[in-house]
Amino acid sequence: MNKRLALLLACVLLAATAGCNKHTVIKKETKLYNFDSYSEGNIRAKSQGKGLNGQLINEMKQIFRDKKIPLTHETYAEDGRGNISYIFYLKGNPRQYITFHVFSSKEERIARIRNWYGGEHRIDTPKSRTTIYSHSRASLIYTSSGKDKGIYEKQVHEVFNSLIDRMQ
């Protein structure tokens, strides 16, 4: 009888353990589908000082705040080669945004920016304007469109110059 009880207890424990693992897997998959894992990863990266240039990004946000231009809708992407790009709307406006690229080397920055934007410092079209500020391993790209294209160009340039001073 003890063997039967032990076997029954072992089966119950095995079933309970298997159920917990299945439940855990389902919870993880649900987090992936609703982007909770992405959000948790972002929070973890910021709190650990990873996500590459946390302090520099925080300083940039503060400088824009001081100019009464809050940065909103922050997103970022990494490319596995040591490069990262941060994108922000200016005052929540999707027609006014900046992209801050940080590259693994100056050579990488030069090649990538030339490939993405061409060799010009400013690209004007009838409906949009893109202005590129670069230094060392970083580029700050200001893109604007619509009737207010270029309205923050002076402020973005000032912010970039301030960031350069802090990087040196």
Side-chain angles (χ1 to χ4, degrees), residues 8-42:
L8 179 64
L9 185 58
C11 288
V12 169
L13 287 174
L14 183 61
T17 306
C20 289
N21 287 339
K22 184 178 179 183
H23 184 67
T24 303
V25 169
I26 290 171
K27 282 176 74 175
K28 284 182 181 180
E29 285 184 12
T30 302
K31 283 183 170 190
L32 288 174
Y33 291 127
N34 65 19
F35 290 98
D36 285 347
S37 292
Y38 174 77
S39 298
E40 288 174 13
N42 283 341

Side-chain angles (χ1 to χ4, degrees), residues 5 7 28 46 52 56 58-59 67 77 112 114-115 117 152:
L5 184 62
L7 182 61
K28 284 182 181 180
K46 286 179 182 178
L52 238 83
L56 186 62
N58 288 336
E59 289 178 25
K67 293 183 175 299
R112 288 284 187 99
R114 186 173 291 134
N115 183 37
Y117 301 100
Y152 299 117

Side-chain angles (χ1 to χ4, degrees), residues 2-166:
N2 280 341
K3 287 184 182 182
R4 285 185 181 177
L5 184 62
L7 182 61
L8 179 64
L9 185 58
C11 288
V12 169
L13 287 174
L14 183 61
T17 306
C20 289
N21 287 339
K22 184 178 179 183
H23 184 67
T24 303
V25 169
I26 290 171
K27 282 176 74 175
K28 284 182 181 180
E29 285 184 12
T30 302
K31 283 183 170 190
L32 288 174
Y33 291 127
N34 65 19
F35 290 98
D36 285 347
S37 292
Y38 174 77
S39 298
E40 288 174 13
N42 283 341
I43 291 167
R44 199 174 309 118
K46 286 179 182 178
S47 69
Q48 294 173 357
K50 295 181 182 169
L52 238 83
N53 306 284
Q55 184 177 357
L56 186 62
I57 294 298
N58 288 336
E59 289 178 25
M60 182 176 71
K61 288 178 185 177
Q62 184 60 50
I63 296 167
F64 273 106
R65 250 191 316 270
D66 293 345
K67 293 183 175 299
K68 308 291 188 243
I69 306 171
L71 299 179
T72 65
H73 297 82
E74 176 181 352
T75 59
Y76 76 89
E78 297 179 75
D79 72 354
R81 293 171 50 179
N83 306 311
I84 188 165
S85 299
Y86 302 87
I87 301 169
F88 302 91
Y89 289 172
L90 302 175
K91 289 188 171 181
N93 185 346
R95 293 179 178 223
Q96 305 286 327
Y97 64 93
I98 60 168
T99 307
F100 186 62
H101 300 286
V102 181
F103 297 96
S104 57
S105 68
K106 182 178 180 180
E107 296 75 21
E108 179 83 3
R109 176 196 47 91
I110 292 168
R112 288 284 187 99
I113 294 298
R114 186 173 291 134
N115 183 37
W116 293 336
Y117 301 100
E120 301 298 317
H121 167 70
R122 178 187 282 169
I123 303 146
D124 258 318
T125 71
K127 295 186 179 190
S128 70
R129 174 181 296 158
T130 299
T131 308
I132 302 162
Y133 305 101
S134 295
H135 176 77
S136 185
R137 298 182 315 123
S139 289
L140 182 63
I141 315 298
Y142 170 50
T143 303
S144 59
S145 62
K147 64 179 181 163
D148 294 328
K149 78 176 186 180
I151 61 171
Y152 299 117
E153 194 164 344
K154 179 182 177 214
Q155 294 93 328
V156 172
H157 189 195
E158 290 170 356
V159 168
F160 188 69
N161 285 338
S162 180
L163 289 173
I164 289 172
D165 292 342
R166 293 166 195 254

